[in-house]
Amino acid sequence: MEIRFLTFGAACLMSCGGPAGETYDGRPMEELLSSLTLEQKVNIVMGTRRGEANPPEEAPGMPARHSHAAIEEISQGRIKGAAADGYSIDSLHIPSVIYADGPAGLRISPRRDGTTRTFYCTAFPTGTSLAASWDVHSVERMAAAIGEEVLEYGVDILLAPALNIHRNPLCGRNFEYYSEDPLLAGEMAAAYTKGVQSRGVGVSLKHFAVNNQETLRNGIDVQLSERALREIYLRGFERVVRKASPWTIMSSYNKINGVLASENTRLLSDILRGEWGFEGVVMTDWWAEENGARQQAAGNDLLMPGTQRQYDEILEGLRNGSLPEELLDRNVSRILKMIEKTPSFRGYACTNAPDLRSHGALSRRQAADGMVLLENRDATLPLAPGLRIALFGNAGYDTFVGGTGSGNVNRQYTVHIDEGLGNAGFTVDRQLAERYTSYIARQKSRNEAATFWAIPEIGEMPLTEEEVSRALSGNDLAIVVLSRMAGEGGDRQLRAGDYYLTATERSNLSLILHAAHSAGKRAVLLLNMGGIVEFDWSEPDFFDAVLHVWLPGQEAGNAVSDVLSGACTPSGKLPFTWAVRYEDYPSASNFPLSAGTDRAVRYEEDIYVGYRHFDTRGVRVLYPFGYGLSYTEFAYSDLGVERTDEGLDVHLAVRNAGRYPGREVVQIYVSTPSTVEDRPKKELKAFAKTDPLAPGESCVVRLSIPDSDLAIYDEDAGRWRVCAGRYLVHAAASVSDVRATVQVDIAQ
Ligand code: BGC
């Protein structure tokens, strides 16, 4: 059936930024649009509405009746396990475009009916681990490998990178996100976008915007100032749009100051397109089905995966005039222009054979580069070759490689930590290994099976004093792995076993520390989690070395061993602040909801997120933003800053002053003139990771800071402004470890 409503003339199309002058497949866009029925147009602005018929599910924050889990198993659609298919019209050469998650690697089903062939993808380290490497070049290389998997498995658009700010350490999806700082997060997401898109496939930068928690994610109203919105929550997105031109952007589920992100004309049209020049497609997050017509009118071009209700609402909007047809045409033409770039349109014959072996090697290197050495007393690490290790902790034998939800990857294998240690020539105590593996197998058989939303928790195996002393007396040192899982659909909890340690964990750690130290042996702690736990550790004894290994992807054990053995000198630094107590985080009293409200989250901390709060107000932290040790040491010298027409040019020399080869992450913070009120003490404005430096070797680091990055958002004037005055430029090894400062004057 063909449905037609009143159409507007070409003049109106032009004035609305419509498709006049544009083409699709060599044909004028207007001509193509006029050959489409209204029904076809409405179909083009949504996915093929897969998942609608799936059984209800109980996932926090998800509307009932739609199911990600069912997508996993769904056999319809061109690529099994992809998140959605687009609408196709063969006669007009409009192919069905395939959209699939996600940030740590391509997420599709590894098996398909009718073939014994497998379609595994590489599980790369998760977002926070990437950010902890502070290495935009390696992240871009890694993302190019993800792009290759996307291309060769027949997918067009990857639903990544995920760029929301770590506002609070309990956000369940922080592991997918990069940092508390918009510059670091934006640089990572830009590198990731460039890497994936270099393979001729697209990304969907998500979740736009201010999606900083999972609790009630479909319903919360985030209330924040324009300044916080611009300076903290949008700044990273702007960076990616300007530097890397993502093909698509995914709007978020939440409201921002009362208006749903997916229906937000100001966000999606005025700011994103008008101010930043975004030319791609905006899509909704999955089943963000508030009102199809309003979403379309706001510039949310594509409704994913689309539902019958949205379809009907669009038609009703066209009928009652709330959605002018030229706006629908505008959205259709944007989608068609994107489709033209896809492998599906080009008729690319995918091989289903990406180079998984080399991608595994890349995943291993990237994971090792992101690990953060937090403690290393008396040079406990690196370990001497061939040591005998008493390995404690479930995750030593069942290592977490990624989180749950759409960020999970169906990988071919996992190198657990015990296996990685063995591969590196260490010996893992066999008796302990047997105890742990049979304990884990027993617990798993009692637990429910892992689902899309959750991997059922297995409490730490309680240890006895005897077995710990036996293990320590027969081995050279203790390594303990402490782990936490998190994922989409729920936030982490302030409870023992999540943010806090359990009684069993405390008792195990005490026993191990005591046994190790009384036998004159060292104890090393590995943290296998996307974020942090609270160490309210009152005992005098602590671990000799602590290494944060994150959720490091499928090569976890090998990457951990590379760092422990010294094959790779640790060079990661924290992309967030680790507070002493949860209550010290400035968002603590407004997470996940503000007191007395059922839907509002007031961002009362304003721009003082993370180190902007701790550093400015002198609040003591456990580990500061940007902190991380190395096996070697670095000396900074000759810091110089020049004012140019575009901004500031910064240069300094870095020398490896220690005994191991290594790489340093140099951070440049800037303090705005003291005449400007209500500003953070200093803010990250540039960073660089050196190439490997041999002991005694130096290099010169050069960085540019454009004026746009020095600007602050002037709410009264409604624009960005570079304040005149005296700026302080700091070269630092972390926000709390400033090595040199120079001043520079910026005139009006
Ligand atoms: C998530 C997105 C994801 C999409 C498709 C949503 O629930 O929030 O990040 O890309 O599902 O799986």
Side-chain angles (χ1 to χ4, degrees):
M1 180 187 61
E2 182 172 320
I3 310 168
R4 282 201 177 273
F5 296 122
L6 198 66
T7 43
F8 288 65
C12 179
L13 287 179
M14 283 175 77
S15 69
C16 297
E22 292 169 356
T23 59
Y24 173 78
D25 196 18
R27 279 166 296 166
M29 190 70 81
E30 280 174 68
E31 192 183 301
L32 183 68
L33 287 172
S34 60
S35 69
L36 292 172
T37 65
L38 205 54
E39 212 175 24
Q40 285 173 327
K41 288 182 193 173
V42 182
N43 273 318
I44 288 172
V45 297
M46 50 181 63
T48 48
R49 304 193 291 284
R50 291 166 50 193
E52 268 184 313
N54 293 324
E57 63 178 328
E58 300 295 324
M62 281 303 295
R65 92 178 180 278
H66 301 311
S67 167
H68 274 73
I71 279 187
E72 250 324 65
E73 291 313 316
I74 218 157
S75 52
Q76 75 198 68
R78 208 142 49 79
I79 306 296
K80 189 174 178 192
D85 290 24
Y87 182 75
S88 64
I89 308 176
D90 292 346
S91 60
L92 295 174
H93 197 191
I94 299 174
S96 167
V97 164
I98 308 290
Y99 303 81
D101 283 299
L106 178 63
R107 175 184 173 77
I108 55 174
S109 297
R111 296 190 181 276
R112 294 181 192 163
D113 301 336
T115 175
T116 52
R117 194 172 183 160
T118 55
F119 303 83
Y120 286 107
C121 299
T122 309
F124 289 95
T126 50
T128 309
S129 160
L130 302 183
S133 78
W134 296 65
D135 188 341
V136 288
H137 304 295
S138 69
V139 168
E140 188 172 333
R141 274 195 299 278
M142 186 208 84
I146 299 181
E148 186 193 322
E149 294 187 21
V150 172
L151 178 71
E152 297 305 347
Y153 279 135
V155 172
D156 296 291
I157 305 285
L158 181 76
L159 305 174
L163 166 60
N164 296 101
I165 291 290
H166 290 180
R167 171 178 179 253
N168 184 286
L170 298 180
C171 170
R173 292 184 86 172
N174 272 357
F175 73 94
E176 291 185 68
Y177 304 149
Y178 296 111
S179 172
E180 68 186 23
D181 180 83
L183 177 87
L184 177 57
E187 283 292 297
M188 286 295 142
Y192 187 107
T193 300
K194 285 187 204 163
V196 171
Q197 295 192 166
S198 70
R199 292 296 184 263
V201 293
V203 301
S204 190
L205 177 68
K206 65 191 188 183
H207 309 89
F208 190 60
V210 213
N211 182 172
N212 309 105
Q213 66 185 61
E214 290 298 282
T215 306
L216 291 176
R217 64 179 178 169
N218 295 79
I220 50 161
D221 180 12
V222 175
Q223 298 175 5
L224 78 174
S225 73
E226 183 68 14
R227 183 164 80 144
L229 178 69
R230 298 291 191 142
E231 291 192 16
I232 304 293
Y233 297 99
L234 295 189
R235 210 165 193 170
F237 284 98
E238 177 172 3
R239 203 169 193 88
V240 185
V241 168
R242 291 191 192 275
K243 285 184 99 161
S245 305
W247 289 12
T248 81
I249 288 188
M250 188 189 293
S251 55
S252 56
Y253 292 121
N254 50 288
K255 288 181 182 163
I256 303 169
N257 292 327
V259 184
L260 282 161
S262 69
E263 296 181 0
N264 203 315
T265 308
R266 178 156 182 269
L267 183 72
L268 304 183
S269 291
D270 303 348
I271 297 178
L272 177 62
R273 297 178 193 278
E275 288 183 30
W276 305 348
F278 178 67
E279 290 184 341
V281 163
V282 176
M283 67 178 74
T284 62
D285 200 344
W286 265 231
W287 299 293
E289 52 163 339
E290 295 304 326
N291 181 292
R294 281 205 298 270
Q295 289 171 319
Q296 284 293 304
N300 204 132
D301 312 298
L302 188 57
L303 313 186
M304 285 307 227
T307 65
Q308 185 60 42
R309 200 185 88 191
Q310 285 170 316
Y311 184 92
D312 296 340
E313 283 162 353
I314 294 175
L315 287 182
E316 175 54 26
L318 291 164
R319 201 173 284 127
N320 68 25
S322 64
L323 174 64
E325 194 178 338
E326 84 267 20
L327 293 189
L328 181 65
D329 284 352
R330 171 198 69 182
N331 299 353
V332 170
S333 71
R334 284 177 188 153
I335 293 167
L336 291 177
K337 281 203 300 179
M338 179 206 72
I339 291 178
E340 238 184 343
K341 297 196 277 189
T342 60
S344 288
F345 177 86
R346 299 196 308 267
Y348 181 78
C350 63
T351 59
N352 284 320
D355 185 357
L356 295 181
R357 180 183 280 268
S358 78
H359 296 178
L362 212 51
S363 179
R364 172 176 179 169
R365 236 183 354 262
Q366 181 62 45
D369 273 354
M371 291 181 187
V372 180
L373 184 63
L374 296 167
E375 304 283 347
N376 196 21
R377 278 183 224 150
D378 304 324
T380 297
L381 299 179
L383 301 176
L387 291 184
R388 293 165 305 155
I389 295 170
L391 178 64
F392 298 95
N394 299 347
Y397 306 88
D398 190 16
T399 309
F400 291 154
V401 310
T404 55
S406 56
N408 182 34
V409 179
N410 294 310
R411 60 196 177 273
Q412 193 163 24
Y413 64 87
T414 300
V415 181
H416 297 283
I417 291 174
D418 62 330
E419 194 186 338
L421 290 171
N423 293 343
F426 298 107
T427 308
V428 174
D429 183 84
R430 185 153 330 136
Q431 216 172 311
L432 264 186
E434 277 163 13
R435 270 269 285 144
Y436 270 104
T437 42
S438 58
Y439 169 80
I440 293 164
R442 206 168 44 247
Q443 298 300 315
K444 280 192 175 168
S445 70
R446 286 182 194 155
N447 278 347
E448 287 179 6
T451 66
F452 174 88
W453 298 105
I455 296 180
E457 226 169 87
I458 299 181
E460 271 304 328
M461 180 174 83
L463 297 166
T464 63
E465 200 172 336
E466 296 69 54
E467 70 184 323
V468 174
S469 5
R470 199 262 333 136
L472 261 308
S473 63
N475 290 288
D476 300 311
L477 85 154
I479 295 184
V480 187
V481 190
L482 192 65
S483 59
R484 291 289 184 270
M485 181 44 71
E488 184 181 348
D491 288 315
R492 295 186 56 196
Q493 303 296 314
L494 280 179
R495 63 163 173 83
D498 199 342
Y499 197 72
Y500 302 119
L501 302 183
T502 61
T504 305
E505 286 171 337
R506 278 173 190 285
S507 143
N508 286 355
L509 296 184
S510 296
L511 287 175
I512 296 163
L513 280 173
H514 181 75
H517 289 162
S518 50
K521 294 177 179 170
R522 304 280 173 93
V524 175
L525 178 65
L526 305 179
L527 301 168
N528 176 207
M529 55 190 74
I532 57 173
V533 288
E534 187 165 307
F535 276 118
D536 51 340
W537 196 255
S538 47
E539 300 180 38
D541 229 6
F542 199 60
F543 287 86
D544 303 285
V546 181
L547 182 70
H548 204 318
V549 310
W550 310 108
L551 298 170
Q554 66 186 37
E555 286 280 340
N558 286 332
V560 166
S561 302
D562 287 342
V563 174
L564 294 182
S565 69
C568 170
T569 301
S571 59
K573 298 203 178 191
L574 286 179
F576 54 70
T577 310
W578 191 328
V580 176
R581 300 171 325 136
Y582 173 77
E583 291 71 26
D584 295 341
Y585 286 101
S587 56
S589 52
N590 286 290
F591 186 94
L593 293 167
S594 295
T597 72
D598 60 352
R599 296 272 146 168
V601 189
R602 296 192 200 99
Y603 283 24
E604 277 166 4
E605 71 282 2
D606 205 55
I607 58 169
Y608 295 93
V609 176
Y611 72 84
R612 286 170 168 78
H613 162 76
F614 293 99
D615 184 51
T616 307
R617 295 171 181 146
V619 181
R620 199 167 65 83
V621 300
L622 192 59
Y623 300 112
F625 175 81
Y627 167 85
L629 301 172
S630 170
Y631 296 153
T632 190
E633 280 163 31
F634 296 95
Y636 293 33
S637 62
D638 305 325
L639 173 64
V641 181
E642 274 94 49
R643 175 79 179 129
T644 66
D645 289 346
E646 289 82 39
L648 300 178
D649 276 355
V650 182
H651 51 87
L652 70 149
V654 177
R655 187 169 63 84
N656 182 344
R659 291 189 300 117
Y660 291 89
R663 305 177 67 192
E664 171 68 327
V665 173
V666 176
Q667 300 154 49
I668 305 295
Y669 295 87
V670 173
S671 308
T672 41
S674 51
T675 47
V676 180
E677 280 176 21
D678 197 11
R679 298 299 312 154
K681 187 168 161 196
K682 54 184 181 294
E683 292 176 282
L684 184 73
K685 293 296 172 190
F687 63 88
K689 190 160 188 173
T690 67
D691 286 336
L693 295 174
E697 196 183 350
S698 304
C699 71
V700 174
V701 176
R702 294 182 192 283
L703 295 151
S704 298
I705 304 173
D707 275 351
S708 53
D709 283 346
L710 294 175
I712 63 174
Y713 194 78
D714 183 335
E715 280 191 338
D716 297 332
R719 62 177 178 84
W720 291 94
R721 178 164 72 82
V722 179
C723 307
R726 176 154 297 174
Y727 286 71
L728 301 180
V729 179
H730 315 275
S734 83
V735 74
S736 307
D737 185 5
V738 171
R739 302 289 180 86
T741 298
V742 295
Q743 20 184 67
V744 59
D745 291 328
I746 294 189
Q748 199 61 267

